[in-house]
Every structure is written in C-alpha cells, then in structure tokens.
Amino acid sequence: MWNKIKSWVEIRIGLDDFVRTQLKEYRVPRNINIFYTLGFVALAAYLIQAVSGFFLLLYYVPHSEHAFRSVQDIMNKVPYGWFFRMMHVVGSNLMVAVVFLHMFSVFFMGSYKKPREMTWLAGAFMMFIVLTFCLSGYLLPWSQLSYWATTIVTTMPTAFPYVGDFAAGVLRGGEHVSGITLNRFFALHVALLPPFVVSLIGFHIFLVRRIGISTPPFGESGEEKRPWTGYRHESHLKGHPFYPYFVQKEMLMAMAYFAIMFFIIGFMPALFLPEDTNTPADPMKTPAHIKPEWYFLAPYQMLKLVPNKFLGISLQMILAGIFLIWPFLDKKEEDNITKRPLLRVTFFIVLIVWIVLTIWGKYS
Ligand code: HEM
C-alpha cells in the first residue's frame, strides 16, 4: 500500500529525483567552513519570527487604546503567551545579529564578487527590510519606549527640505505619532513586509543554488578555475555532498541559535525589554532617556555627532548606497582579503568605528 502511494506521488512530483539531484549529488566546496551556514541560520531565524508572530496575532489588538493591555495579557494571562512573545522579541534581536554576521562573512570570503552581484543586492535589500520589520514592530506594544523611539525616528525625514515634512506626515498619518501611526506600522509589519521578504529570500536562495556556493578563498579546494558560464556547483566536483555533509553543519548551527535564544529567554529575560517597555505610552510625558535598539545605536550616535541633521542623514544614505552597490564598485578579481591590505584595513576600521559608536551611543 505504502509503496503504491509512494510511486503514485513519485510519478507526479518526482521527489526521489529532486532529493538525488538537489541534495545528495549537489556538491559544496571541499574547504567550505562553518561561516557558510549563517545564511541558513538567518532563514531559520525568520521562520521562528513568522511562527511566533502568528501566535501573537491571535491575541494582539492593533488599537492605541488596547495594544499595551493586549501585550500585557499575552505576557500574563494567555497560556504560553509569554513564551511566544519572548521568542519574538529575543528572536528579532538575534536575527539582526545573524544577518549582520552572514553579511560580514560573505564580505570576508569575497563571495559577493562576479557572478554573485545580484545575490548580494537581494541580501542587502533583505537587510533593510529586516531593519524595517524591527522598526515597525517596536511601536506595536504601544509602550513609552515604543512611542518615543518612533517619535524620534519619524522626525528624521523632516531634516530634508521640501519632501521631508510630507514623508514624515505619510509615515505618521498626521503631525504626531498617534493611533493612525500604529495602524500604519501594523499594516507594514504584518501585511506588506512578509510577502516582500519571502519573495526576496526565494530569489536569494534560487541564485545561490543556480550559481552554486562560492569556493572559500582560504584552505585547499582542489578546484580548477572555470569560465563564469554554466552552473557553478558543477565545478565543485571534488566537493562534499550537500546532504548529509553540509545539512548536518547547518542543523548544528541552527541548534546553537536556539540554545542562545532559550538561554536569553531563561536567564536574561529583561535583556531586550528595559523598564520603559512596561509603561504604557504617554504622549504628554517625555521619558528622560530614550535610546534606540543596539543595531541603530551607531547611526543614532553618528547623527548626534554631526551638527547638521540634513548633512548627517545624507551621509548615512550615501554609506547605505555604497553598501548596496559594493559588488559593482569592487571589481578586483582577488577574493582573498588577506592579499588585499587596503580592503582589509578599511574593513576593520569600519567595524571598529561601528563598535565604538554603538558603545558610545549606549553610554552617552
Ligand atoms: C533575511 C536575510 C538573509 C537570508 C535568509 C539569507 C540566506 C542565505 C542562504 C541560505 C545562503 C546560502 C548559504 C550561505 O552562504 O550561507 C546565502 C548566501 C549568500 N548571501 Fe544571504 N541571506 C540573507 C541576507 C544576506 C545579506 C544581508 C547579504 C549581503 C548584503 C547576503 C549575501 C549573500 C551572498 C553574496 C551569498 C552567496 C554566498 C556564497 O555563494 O558563498 N545575504 N544567503
């Protein structure tokens, strides 16, 4: 009976064939390292956000009069509500960290180079979307922190002459952050961004599969250089099978991700939920210290240091633009960063400046 069902399905879908060609016979480079699993961990992180977000939606009320209360009820009354909320909050922070690490590793391995420019572009767009997810989600609990952090962020476009006030008005749905802003951010968070990011993830992974995972510039790959045409994974003839070799590594890293997440939920629950998240939003009372999340601290501190707001935001937009089109600017064939002193020094300077600005932003 089972065999009959199997062959019925096999004739129609060709699952065995798919598993053989896409998993068992599909090769990854011989010298592949653990950093190449970070894309998969980012994918797992997104799935956790989608699932926990779905459960939160069952009880969350997107209305300025009820939002704060509904989140408190999820934490205190709904069975396991606290668990899904903590997964969503901790997961959002960890996901940003994993996407950052994935991006750094892709940069360090030179994997963005020809013919992977579009893979980088799709990834960079996803990075912006992930940050927009975080920004829009931050307002939803309607706490003091949500309200005032969103007030600061939505004031930023006003630095631009002519279009600035209009853009801020569109974001807020009025002059100030209000219930209308909450509805807009909610719509963005649950209706617009998810299909966008899912399509981009699909495209990103299609490109990785189509082109084949890049050969790390470190260690012995035993591969010969080939022309840029055709399926690149066919060049990893001496490589390991994707399944089980690489899938096992990916699963191990996803487990490590879960372990870190549950450690934070269990032992450091207030890490990403400071005091101001437990007070309902009060548009009449500005709290003394409002800081954005850790991943926005560096740009936030930079804006504080540049005296002219317009100049500061323009500078950040230029940097974001350079990041987006980086593969088209770096045309050198050499993908081993240890053989490119200028790039290596620039990379570490940018990293150190980012860390210093983040710490400075936190404690200033
Ligand atoms: C939601 C965010 C993201 C997800 C789910 C994701 C997923 C993946 C996956 C599954 C892979 C294949 C395995 C690997 O190399 O790890 C990959 C590769 C890649 N990703 Fe991402 N990624 C994301 C963000 C980014 C970002 C922000 C960038 C860079 C700006 C980026 C650039 C790349 C590149 C260039 C590759 C090809 C690596 C190679 O061939 O060696 N990705 N990504």
Coordinates of all heavy atoms in Angstrom, one line a residue, residues 66-142:
H66 N -6.0 49.7 23.2 CA -5.9 48.3 23.7 C -4.6 47.6 23.5 O -4.4 46.6 24.1 CB -7.0 47.5 23.0 CG -8.4 48.1 23.1 ND1 -9.1 48.2 24.2 CD2 -9.1 48.7 22.1 CE1 -10.2 48.8 24.0 NE2 -10.3 49.1 22.7
A67 N -3.7 48.2 22.7 CA -2.5 47.5 22.3 C -1.6 47.1 23.5 O -1.2 46.0 23.7 CB -1.7 48.3 21.3
F68 N -1.4 48.1 24.4 CA -0.5 47.9 25.5 C -1.1 46.8 26.4 O -0.4 45.8 26.8 CB -0.3 49.2 26.3 CG 0.6 49.0 27.5 CD1 2.0 49.0 27.3 CD2 0.1 48.8 28.8 CE1 2.9 48.8 28.4 CE2 1.0 48.7 29.8 CZ 2.4 48.6 29.6
R69 N -2.4 46.9 26.7 CA -3.1 46.0 27.6 C -3.0 44.6 26.9 O -2.8 43.6 27.6 CB -4.5 46.5 27.7 CG -5.3 45.8 28.8 CD -4.6 45.9 30.1 NE -5.0 44.7 30.9 CZ -5.8 44.8 31.9 NH1 -6.3 46.0 32.2 NH2 -6.1 43.7 32.6
S70 N -3.2 44.5 25.6 CA -3.3 43.2 25.0 C -1.9 42.5 25.1 O -1.8 41.3 25.3 CB -3.8 43.2 23.5 OG -2.8 43.9 22.7
V71 N -0.8 43.3 25.0 CA 0.5 42.7 25.1 C 0.7 42.2 26.6 O 1.3 41.1 26.8 CB 1.6 43.7 24.6 CG1 3.0 43.1 24.9 CG2 1.4 44.0 23.2
Q72 N 0.3 43.0 27.5 CA 0.4 42.6 28.9 C -0.4 41.3 29.2 O 0.1 40.4 29.9 CB -0.1 43.7 29.9 CG 0.6 45.0 29.8 CD 2.1 44.8 30.2 OE1 2.4 44.3 31.2 NE2 3.0 45.3 29.3
D73 N -1.6 41.2 28.6 CA -2.4 40.0 28.8 C -1.7 38.8 28.1 O -1.7 37.7 28.7 CB -3.7 40.2 28.1 CG -4.6 41.1 29.0 OD1 -4.2 41.4 30.1 OD2 -5.7 41.5 28.5
I74 N -1.0 39.0 27.0 CA -0.3 37.9 26.3 C 0.8 37.4 27.3 O 1.0 36.2 27.5 CB 0.4 38.4 25.0 CG1 -0.7 38.6 23.9 CG2 1.4 37.4 24.5 CD1 -0.3 39.2 22.6
M75 N 1.5 38.4 28.0 CA 2.6 38.0 28.9 C 2.0 37.3 30.2 O 2.7 36.4 30.7 CB 3.3 39.3 29.3 CG 4.2 39.9 28.2 SD 5.5 38.7 27.6 CE 6.8 39.1 28.7
N76 N 0.9 37.8 30.7 CA 0.5 37.3 32.0 C -0.7 36.4 32.0 O -0.8 35.6 33.0 CB 0.1 38.5 32.9 CG 1.3 39.5 33.0 OD1 2.4 39.0 33.2 ND2 1.1 40.8 32.9
K77 N -1.6 36.4 31.0 CA -2.8 35.6 31.1 C -2.9 34.5 30.1 O -3.3 33.4 30.4 CB -4.0 36.5 31.0 CG -4.2 37.5 32.1 CD -5.5 38.2 32.0 CE -5.7 39.2 33.1 NZ -6.6 40.2 32.7
V78 N -2.5 34.8 28.8 CA -2.6 33.8 27.8 C -1.6 32.6 28.0 O -0.4 32.9 28.3 CB -2.3 34.4 26.4 CG1 -2.3 33.4 25.3 CG2 -3.2 35.6 26.1
P79 N -2.1 31.4 28.0 CA -1.2 30.2 28.3 C 0.0 30.2 27.2 O -0.3 30.3 26.0 CB -2.1 29.0 28.1 CG -3.5 29.5 28.2 CD -3.5 30.9 27.8
Y80 N 1.2 30.2 27.7 CA 2.4 30.2 26.9 C 2.6 31.5 26.1 O 3.4 31.6 25.2 CB 2.5 29.0 26.0 CG 2.7 27.8 26.8 CD1 1.6 26.9 27.0 CD2 3.9 27.4 27.4 CE1 1.7 25.8 27.8 CE2 4.0 26.3 28.2 CZ 3.0 25.5 28.4 OH 3.1 24.4 29.2
G81 N 1.7 32.5 26.3 CA 1.8 33.8 25.6 C 3.2 34.4 25.8 O 3.8 34.9 24.9
W82 N 3.7 34.4 27.1 CA 5.0 35.0 27.4 C 6.1 34.3 26.5 O 7.0 34.9 26.1 CB 5.3 34.8 28.9 CG 5.4 33.4 29.3 CD1 4.4 32.5 29.8 CD2 6.6 32.5 29.3 NE1 4.9 31.3 30.0 CE2 6.3 31.2 29.7 CE3 7.9 32.8 28.9 CZ2 7.2 30.2 29.8 CZ3 8.9 31.7 29.0 CH2 8.5 30.4 29.5
F83 N 5.9 33.0 26.3 CA 6.9 32.2 25.6 C 7.0 32.7 24.2 O 8.1 33.0 23.7 CB 6.5 30.7 25.7 CG 7.5 29.8 25.0 CD1 8.8 29.7 25.5 CD2 7.2 29.1 23.9 CE1 9.7 28.9 24.9 CE2 8.1 28.3 23.3 CZ 9.4 28.1 23.8
F84 N 5.9 32.9 23.5 CA 5.9 33.3 22.1 C 6.3 34.8 22.0 O 7.1 35.1 21.1 CB 4.5 33.1 21.5 CG 4.3 31.6 21.2 CD1 3.3 30.9 22.0 CD2 5.0 30.9 20.3 CE1 3.1 29.6 21.8 CE2 4.8 29.6 20.0 CZ 3.8 28.9 20.8
R85 N 5.9 35.6 23.0 CA 6.4 37.0 22.9 C 7.9 37.1 23.1 O 8.6 37.8 22.4 CB 5.7 37.8 24.0 CG 6.3 39.2 24.0 CD 5.4 40.3 24.4 NE 6.0 41.6 24.0 CZ 6.4 42.5 24.9 NH1 6.3 42.3 26.2 NH2 6.9 43.6 24.5
M86 N 8.4 36.3 24.1 CA 9.8 36.4 24.3 C 10.6 35.8 23.1 O 11.6 36.4 22.7 CB 10.2 35.5 25.6 CG 9.7 36.2 26.9 SD 10.2 37.9 27.1 CE 12.0 37.7 27.4
M87 N 10.1 34.8 22.5 CA 10.7 34.2 21.3 C 10.8 35.3 20.2 O 11.8 35.5 19.5 CB 10.0 33.0 20.7 CG 10.2 31.8 21.5 SD 10.5 30.4 20.4 CE 9.0 30.1 19.7
H88 N 9.7 36.1 20.1 CA 9.6 37.1 19.0 C 10.5 38.3 19.3 O 11.2 38.7 18.4 CB 8.1 37.6 18.9 CG 7.8 38.1 17.6 ND1 7.7 37.3 16.4 CD2 7.6 39.4 17.1 CE1 7.4 38.1 15.4 NE2 7.3 39.3 15.8
V89 N 10.6 38.7 20.6 CA 11.4 39.8 20.9 C 12.9 39.5 20.9 O 13.7 40.1 20.2 CB 11.1 40.4 22.4 CG1 12.1 41.4 22.8 CG2 9.6 40.9 22.4
V90 N 13.3 38.4 21.6 CA 14.7 37.9 21.6 C 15.1 37.5 20.1 O 16.2 37.9 19.6 CB 14.9 36.8 22.6 CG1 16.3 36.2 22.5 CG2 14.6 37.2 24.0
G91 N 14.2 36.8 19.4 CA 14.5 36.4 18.1 C 14.7 37.5 17.1 O 15.6 37.4 16.3
S92 N 14.0 38.7 17.3 CA 14.2 39.8 16.4 C 15.6 40.3 16.5 O 16.3 40.6 15.5 CB 13.2 40.9 16.6 OG 13.4 41.5 17.8
N93 N 16.1 40.4 17.8 CA 17.5 40.9 18.0 C 18.5 39.9 17.5 O 19.5 40.3 16.9 CB 17.7 41.2 19.5 CG 17.0 42.4 20.0 OD1 17.5 43.5 19.8 ND2 15.8 42.3 20.4
L94 N 18.3 38.6 17.8 CA 19.2 37.6 17.3 C 19.3 37.6 15.8 O 20.3 37.3 15.2 CB 18.9 36.3 17.9 CG 19.2 36.1 19.4 CD1 18.9 34.7 19.9 CD2 20.6 36.5 19.8
M95 N 18.1 37.7 15.2 CA 18.1 37.6 13.7 C 18.9 38.8 13.1 O 19.7 38.5 12.2 CB 16.6 37.7 13.2 CG 16.6 37.6 11.7 SD 14.9 37.5 11.1 CE 15.3 37.5 9.3
V96 N 18.8 40.0 13.7 CA 19.6 41.1 13.1 C 21.1 40.7 13.3 O 21.9 40.9 12.4 CB 19.3 42.4 13.9 CG1 20.2 43.5 13.4 CG2 17.8 42.8 13.6
A97 N 21.4 40.1 14.5 CA 22.8 39.8 14.7 C 23.3 38.7 13.7 O 24.4 38.9 13.1 CB 23.0 39.3 16.1
V98 N 22.4 37.7 13.4 CA 22.8 36.7 12.5 C 23.0 37.2 11.0 O 23.9 36.9 10.3 CB 21.8 35.5 12.5 CG1 22.0 34.6 11.4 CG2 21.9 34.8 13.8
V99 N 22.0 38.1 10.7 CA 22.1 38.7 9.3 C 23.4 39.5 9.2 O 24.1 39.5 8.1 CB 20.8 39.5 9.0 CG1 21.0 40.2 7.6 CG2 19.6 38.6 8.9
F100 N 23.7 40.3 10.2 CA 25.0 41.0 10.2 C 26.2 40.1 10.0 O 27.0 40.3 9.2 CB 25.2 41.8 11.5 CG 24.5 43.1 11.6 CD1 24.4 43.8 12.8 CD2 23.9 43.7 10.5 CE1 23.7 45.1 12.9 CE2 23.3 44.9 10.6 CZ 23.2 45.6 11.8
L101 N 26.2 39.0 10.8 CA 27.3 38.1 10.8 C 27.4 37.4 9.4 O 28.5 37.3 8.8 CB 27.2 37.0 11.8 CG 27.4 37.4 13.3 CD1 27.2 36.3 14.2 CD2 28.9 37.9 13.4
H102 N 26.2 37.1 8.8 CA 26.2 36.4 7.5 C 26.8 37.4 6.5 O 27.6 37.0 5.6 CB 24.7 36.1 7.2 CG 24.5 35.6 5.8 ND1 25.2 34.6 5.2 CD2 23.6 36.1 4.8 CE1 24.7 34.4 3.9 NE2 23.8 35.3 3.7
M103 N 26.4 38.7 6.6 CA 26.9 39.7 5.7 C 28.4 39.9 5.8 O 29.1 39.9 4.8 CB 26.2 41.0 6.0 CG 26.5 42.1 5.0 SD 25.7 43.6 5.7 CE 26.8 43.9 7.1
F104 N 28.9 40.0 7.1 CA 30.3 40.1 7.3 C 31.1 38.9 6.7 O 32.1 39.1 6.1 CB 30.7 40.2 8.8 CG 30.4 41.5 9.4 CD1 29.8 41.7 10.6 CD2 30.9 42.7 8.7 CE1 29.6 42.9 11.1 CE2 30.6 43.9 9.2 CZ 30.0 44.1 10.5
S105 N 30.5 37.7 6.9 CA 31.2 36.5 6.4 C 31.3 36.5 4.9 O 32.3 36.2 4.3 CB 30.6 35.3 7.0 OG 30.0 34.5 6.1
V106 N 30.1 36.9 4.3 CA 30.1 36.9 2.8 C 31.1 37.9 2.3 O 31.8 37.7 1.3 CB 28.6 37.3 2.4 CG1 28.6 37.8 1.0 CG2 27.7 36.1 2.5
F107 N 31.2 39.0 3.0 CA 32.2 40.1 2.6 C 33.6 39.6 2.7 O 34.4 39.7 1.8 CB 32.0 41.3 3.5 CG 32.8 42.5 3.1 CD1 32.4 43.4 2.1 CD2 34.1 42.7 3.7 CE1 33.2 44.4 1.7 CE2 34.9 43.7 3.3 CZ 34.5 44.6 2.3
F108 N 33.9 39.0 3.9 CA 35.2 38.5 4.2 C 35.7 37.4 3.2 O 36.9 37.3 2.9 CB 35.2 37.9 5.7 CG 36.5 38.1 6.3 CD1 36.9 39.3 6.8 CD2 37.4 37.0 6.5 CE1 38.2 39.5 7.4 CE2 38.6 37.2 7.1 CZ 39.0 38.4 7.6
M109 N 34.7 36.6 2.8 CA 35.1 35.5 1.9 C 35.1 35.9 0.4 O 35.3 35.2 -0.5 CB 34.1 34.3 2.0 CG 33.9 33.8 3.3 SD 35.3 32.8 3.9 CE 34.9 32.7 5.6
G110 N 34.7 37.2 0.2 CA 34.7 37.7 -1.2 C 33.6 37.1 -2.0 O 33.7 37.0 -3.2
S111 N 32.6 36.5 -1.3 CA 31.5 35.8 -2.1 C 30.6 36.7 -2.9 O 29.7 36.2 -3.6 CB 30.6 35.0 -1.1 OG 31.4 34.3 -0.2
Y112 N 30.7 38.0 -2.7 CA 29.8 38.9 -3.4 C 30.3 39.2 -4.9 O 29.6 39.8 -5.6 CB 29.7 40.2 -2.7 CG 31.1 40.9 -2.4 CD1 31.6 41.7 -3.4 CD2 31.8 40.7 -1.3 CE1 32.9 42.3 -3.2 CE2 33.0 41.2 -1.1 CZ 33.6 42.0 -2.0 OH 34.8 42.6 -1.8
K113 N 31.5 38.7 -5.2 CA 32.1 39.0 -6.5 C 31.4 38.3 -7.6 O 30.7 37.3 -7.4 CB 33.6 38.7 -6.5 CG 34.3 39.6 -5.6 CD 35.8 39.2 -5.5 CE 36.5 40.2 -4.7 NZ 36.7 41.5 -5.4
K114 N 31.7 38.8 -8.8 CA 31.1 38.2 -10.0 C 31.1 36.7 -10.0 O 32.1 36.1 -9.6 CB 32.0 38.6 -11.2 CG 31.5 38.3 -12.6 CD 32.5 38.8 -13.6 CE 32.2 38.2 -14.9 NZ 33.2 38.6 -15.9
P115 N 30.1 36.0 -10.2 CA 28.8 36.4 -10.8 C 27.7 36.5 -9.7 O 26.5 36.2 -9.9 CB 28.4 35.3 -11.7 CG 29.0 34.1 -11.1 CD 30.1 34.5 -10.2
R116 N 28.0 36.9 -8.4 CA 27.1 36.9 -7.3 C 26.6 38.3 -6.9 O 26.1 38.5 -5.8 CB 27.7 36.2 -6.1 CG 28.0 34.7 -6.4 CD 28.5 34.0 -5.2 NE 28.7 32.6 -5.6 CZ 29.7 32.1 -6.2 NH1 30.7 32.9 -6.5 NH2 29.8 30.8 -6.5
E117 N 26.7 39.3 -7.9 CA 26.3 40.6 -7.5 C 24.8 40.7 -7.1 O 24.5 41.4 -6.2 CB 26.6 41.6 -8.7 CG 28.0 41.7 -9.2 CD 28.3 40.7 -10.3 OE1 27.7 39.7 -10.3 OE2 29.2 41.0 -11.1
M118 N 24.0 40.0 -7.9 CA 22.6 40.0 -7.6 C 22.2 39.3 -6.3 O 21.3 39.7 -5.6 CB 21.8 39.4 -8.7 CG 21.6 40.4 -9.9 SD 20.8 39.7 -11.2 CE 19.1 39.8 -10.8
T119 N 23.0 38.3 -5.9 CA 22.8 37.6 -4.6 C 23.0 38.7 -3.5 O 22.3 38.7 -2.5 CB 23.7 36.5 -4.4 OG1 23.9 35.8 -5.7 CG2 23.2 35.5 -3.4
W120 N 24.1 39.4 -3.6 CA 24.4 40.5 -2.7 C 23.3 41.5 -2.6 O 22.8 41.9 -1.5 CB 25.7 41.1 -3.0 CG 26.1 42.3 -2.2 CD1 25.6 43.6 -2.4 CD2 26.8 42.4 -1.0 NE1 26.1 44.5 -1.5 CE2 26.9 43.8 -0.6 CE3 27.5 41.5 -0.2 CZ2 27.5 44.2 0.6 CZ3 28.2 41.9 0.9 CH2 28.2 43.2 1.3
L121 N 22.9 42.0 -3.8 CA 21.8 43.0 -3.9 C 20.5 42.6 -3.2 O 20.0 43.3 -2.4 CB 21.5 43.3 -5.4 CG 22.1 44.5 -6.0 CD1 21.6 44.7 -7.4 CD2 21.8 45.8 -5.2
A122 N 20.1 41.3 -3.5 CA 18.9 40.8 -2.8 C 19.1 40.7 -1.3 O 18.2 41.1 -0.6 CB 18.6 39.4 -3.4
G123 N 20.3 40.3 -0.9 CA 20.6 40.2 0.5 C 20.6 41.6 1.2 O 20.0 41.8 2.2
A124 N 21.2 42.6 0.5 CA 21.2 44.0 1.1 C 19.8 44.5 1.2 O 19.5 45.1 2.2 CB 22.1 44.9 0.2
F125 N 18.9 44.3 0.2 CA 17.5 44.7 0.3 C 16.9 44.0 1.5 O 16.1 44.6 2.3 CB 16.7 44.4 -0.9 CG 16.9 45.5 -2.0 CD1 17.5 45.3 -3.2 CD2 16.5 46.8 -1.7 CE1 17.7 46.3 -4.1 CE2 16.7 47.9 -2.6 CZ 17.3 47.6 -3.8
M126 N 17.2 42.7 1.7 CA 16.6 42.0 2.8 C 17.0 42.6 4.2 O 16.3 42.7 5.1 CB 17.0 40.5 2.8 CG 16.1 39.7 1.9 SD 16.3 38.0 2.2 CE 17.8 37.7 1.3
M127 N 18.3 43.0 4.2 CA 18.8 43.6 5.4 C 18.0 44.9 5.8 O 17.6 45.1 6.9 CB 20.3 44.0 5.2 CG 20.8 45.0 6.2 SD 21.2 44.2 7.6 CE 22.9 43.8 7.3
F128 N 17.7 45.7 4.7 CA 16.9 46.9 5.0 C 15.5 46.5 5.5 O 14.9 47.1 6.3 CB 16.8 47.8 3.8 CG 18.1 48.5 3.4 CD1 18.7 48.4 2.1 CD2 18.9 49.1 4.4 CE1 19.9 49.0 1.8 CE2 20.1 49.7 4.1 CZ 20.6 49.6 2.8
I129 N 15.0 45.5 4.8 CA 13.6 45.0 5.2 C 13.6 44.5 6.6 O 12.7 44.8 7.4 CB 13.1 44.0 4.2 CG1 12.9 44.6 2.9 CG2 11.7 43.4 4.7 CD1 12.3 43.7 1.8
V130 N 14.6 43.7 7.0 CA 14.7 43.2 8.4 C 14.7 44.4 9.4 O 14.0 44.3 10.4 CB 15.9 42.3 8.5 CG1 16.2 42.0 10.0 CG2 15.7 41.0 7.8
L131 N 15.5 45.4 9.1 CA 15.5 46.6 10.0 C 14.2 47.3 10.0 O 13.8 47.8 11.1 CB 16.7 47.5 9.5 CG 18.1 46.9 9.7 CD1 19.1 47.9 9.2 CD2 18.4 46.6 11.2
T132 N 13.5 47.3 8.9 CA 12.2 48.0 8.9 C 11.2 47.1 9.7 O 10.3 47.7 10.3 CB 11.6 48.1 7.4 OG1 12.7 48.6 6.6 CG2 10.5 49.1 7.3
F133 N 11.3 45.8 9.6 CA 10.5 44.9 10.4 C 10.7 45.3 11.9 O 9.7 45.4 12.6 CB 11.0 43.5 10.3 CG 10.1 42.6 9.4 CD1 10.6 42.0 8.3 CD2 8.8 42.3 9.8 CE1 9.8 41.2 7.5 CE2 8.0 41.5 9.0 CZ 8.5 40.9 7.9
C134 N 11.9 45.5 12.3 CA 12.2 45.8 13.7 C 11.6 47.1 14.1 O 11.0 47.3 15.1 CB 13.7 45.8 14.0 SG 14.5 44.2 13.7
L135 N 11.8 48.1 13.2 CA 11.3 49.5 13.5 C 9.8 49.5 13.6 O 9.3 50.1 14.6 CB 11.8 50.3 12.3 CG 11.9 51.8 12.6 CD1 13.1 52.1 13.4 CD2 12.0 52.6 11.2
S136 N 9.1 48.8 12.7 CA 7.7 48.8 12.7 C 7.1 48.0 13.9 O 6.2 48.4 14.6 CB 7.1 48.4 11.4 OG 7.6 47.1 11.1
G137 N 7.8 46.9 14.2 CA 7.4 46.1 15.3 C 7.5 46.7 16.7 O 6.8 46.5 17.6
Y138 N 8.5 47.6 16.8 CA 8.9 48.3 18.0 C 7.7 49.1 18.5 O 7.5 49.3 19.7 CB 10.1 49.2 17.7 CG 11.0 49.4 18.9 CD1 11.5 48.3 19.5 CD2 11.4 50.6 19.3 CE1 12.4 48.4 20.6 CE2 12.3 50.8 20.4 CZ 12.8 49.7 21.0 OH 13.7 49.8 22.0
L139 N 6.9 49.7 17.6 CA 5.8 50.6 18.0 C 4.6 49.8 18.6 O 3.8 50.3 19.4 CB 5.3 51.5 16.8 CG 4.2 52.5 17.1 CD1 4.7 53.5 18.2 CD2 3.7 53.2 15.9
L140 N 4.5 48.5 18.1 CA 3.2 47.8 18.3 C 2.8 47.6 19.8 O 1.6 47.7 20.1 CB 3.3 46.4 17.6 CG 3.5 46.5 16.0 CD1 3.4 45.2 15.4 CD2 2.6 47.5 15.4
P141 N 3.8 47.4 20.7 CA 3.3 47.2 22.1 C 2.8 48.5 22.8 O 2.3 48.5 23.8 CB 4.6 46.8 22.8 CG 5.6 46.3 21.8 CD 5.2 47.1 20.6
W142 N 3.0 49.6 22.1 CA 2.5 50.9 22.5 C 2.9 51.3 23.9 O 2.1 51.7 24.8 CB 0.9 51.0 22.4 CG 0.3 52.3 22.2 CD1 -0.5 53.0 23.1 CD2 0.5 53.2 21.1 NE1 -0.8 54.2 22.7 CE2 -0.2 54.4 21.5 CE3 1.2 53.2 19.9 CZ2 -0.3 55.5 20.6 CZ3 1.1 54.3 19.1 CH2 0.4 55.4 19.5

